[in-house]
Amino acid sequence: MTGFGNGTRRNPRSPGRTWSGSRPDDATLGIIGTVCAVAGFFVLGIVLGPVAVVCGWLAMGRTWQRSAPVPALVAVVLGAIDTLLALIWLAGVATPGAGLF
């Protein structure tokens, strides 16, 4: 039987015990980016679109690879479309006579 601290936990700051210096893996970033891109079509596209592009870009390893993960590529493409549509919508609303009120 193990006593209090006898051999189970050598160093509390050893790798794997704390979250310092670690980041989410690429698959997680790709999925987060895809979810943000799809949600951006419905709400806050001007915010969620760029977030999706950044998450997808980081998931792809900040390079254009031929074997890019599919969720990362989907996040970049949908995020770019989402951002573009949000900018077009904002430009349309800002024109005189658009009927905001």
Side-chain angles (χ1 to χ4, degrees), residues 44-91:
L44 294 174
I46 196 69
V47 175
L48 292 176
V51 169
V53 171
V54 169
C55 285
W57 183 256
L58 290 175
M60 288 177 20
R62 294 180 289 191
T63 60
W64 288 106
Q65 306 171 25
R66 290 192 186 266
S67 61
V70 173
L73 188 62
V74 168
V76 170
V77 171
L78 287 181
I81 292 171
D82 190 21
T83 304
L84 183 66
L85 289 176
L87 288 174
I88 290 172
W89 180 79
L90 283 175

Side-chain angles (χ1 to χ4, degrees), residues 14-39:
S14 62
R17 298 250 183 221
T18 61
W19 289 93
S20 62
S22 64
R23 65 178 189 95
D25 60 343
D26 295 339
T28 304
L29 280 173
I31 293 170
I32 290 171
T34 303
V35 168
C36 286
V38 171

